[in-house]
Every structure is written in structure tokens, then in C-alpha cells.
Amino acid sequence: TFNGTWKIDRNDNYEKFMEKMGINMVKRKLAAHDGLKITIQQNGDKFHVKESSNFRTLEIDFTLGVNFEYSLADGTELSGSWAMEGDMMKGTFTRKDNGNLLTTTRTVQNDELIQSYSYEGVDAKRIFKKS
Ligand code: MYR
């Protein structure tokens, strides 16, 4: 279901979310149009994710239920893991700088990948189309 290359189509409340994350206005404006593309390859409980945007290109490997480190484009470091709950990926990450929780989910609905984010009571979504 998740396998393939997904290109950002639209955002929902993403600017408010980034504001809550403490990202300044200039960076928020750039990040709202980051052209994010993610390629997901799932093999059992192992994932390989290629991420590319106007900011950077990187590749991430993780295993469901196993903690790993991930840095946001602005350098903010997270530590946490993904788990599968039914057809949904659920990520639980902690910011290393302040210990706050960031949760995220991924689902595929009507050929779209919907990633939700939640931080300190602010929810956002980024919606991707298969490319
Ligand atoms: C991946 O599966 O793509 C790698 C791990 C993702 C970790 C969680 C991503 C949270 C990103 C939040 C973006 C917030 C920007 C302010």
C-alpha cells in the first residue's frame, strides 16, 4: 500500500503546525512549498524511505517498533519509531531539544497518501499523490 513515490499535493493547517514547532515565518513560507517527494519501499517490517525537497535529499532506514533518529530540515532532532496499527502507520517521536512529543500517521486513501502531524495540540496534514 505505501510503496511507491509520492509527491506533495496540498497541506492542511501546516503553517500553524510549523508555527507551533517554533519555525520562523520566512522558513514557514519556504517549507509550505518545499516540493516534498517521498519514495517508500516496505519489506515486511523494514522500510526504506527516500525524501527529497527543495531543502535536501536523504534516505532513511527503519524497522517498525525500533527507535531511530531523524533530523528535520531546520536541524531539529527527533527520536522515536513507527508502528503499524491496522492499515495505518503511527509514528511517535520526541524532540531532543525540549522533550515534547510529535505524533504522526500515514494512511493511503483513494490513491492519496495522507500524513498527519500533531504537536502540542496543533494538528496538520500533508497530502501526497502517487507520481
Ligand atoms: C520517514 O518515515 O519519512 C522518516 C521518519 C519521519 C519522522 C517523523 C516526521 C515528522 C516530520 C515533521 C515535520 C515538521 C516540520 C515542522
Side-chain angles (χ1 to χ4, degrees), residues 14 17-18 23 49 60 62 68 70 72 82 93 106 117:
Y14 191 48
F17 174 80
M18 289 189 283
I23 294 167
V49 178
I60 309 126
F62 61 85
F68 64 99
Y70 176 80
L72 304 182
W82 284 107
F93 295 87
R106 281 182 178 139
Y117 306 88

Side-chain angles (χ1 to χ4, degrees), residues 33-124:
H33 304 280
D34 61 357
L36 182 59
K37 206 169 89 176
I38 52 181
T39 299
I40 301 177
Q41 286 171 264
Q42 179 183 7
N43 206 326
D45 59 357
K46 293 195 191 308
F47 283 73
H48 182 71
V49 178
K50 288 184 202 172
E51 172 185 322
S52 72
S53 70
N54 296 338
F55 298 117
R56 59 177 184 173
T57 299
L58 76 164
E59 305 202 13
I60 309 126
D61 285 287
F62 61 85
T63 302
L64 294 176
V66 178
N67 262 62
F68 64 99
E69 323 261 290
Y70 176 80
S71 297
L72 304 182
D74 72 344
T76 303
E77 291 180 32
L78 305 178
S79 167
S81 63
W82 284 107
M84 200 64 78
E85 217 176 277
D87 288 337
M88 182 183 283
M89 290 175 70
K90 281 199 165 188
T92 307
F93 295 87
T94 305
R95 267 178 79 143
K96 289 191 176 184
D97 57 349
N98 62 13
N100 288 346
L101 198 64
L102 188 164
T103 56
T104 175
T105 64
R106 281 182 178 139
T107 48
V108 175
Q109 277 172 33
N110 307 318
D111 286 329
E112 293 184 324
L113 175 76
I114 301 169
Q115 182 157 9
S116 75
Y117 306 88
S118 182
Y119 180 75
E120 295 292 298
V122 179
D123 298 324

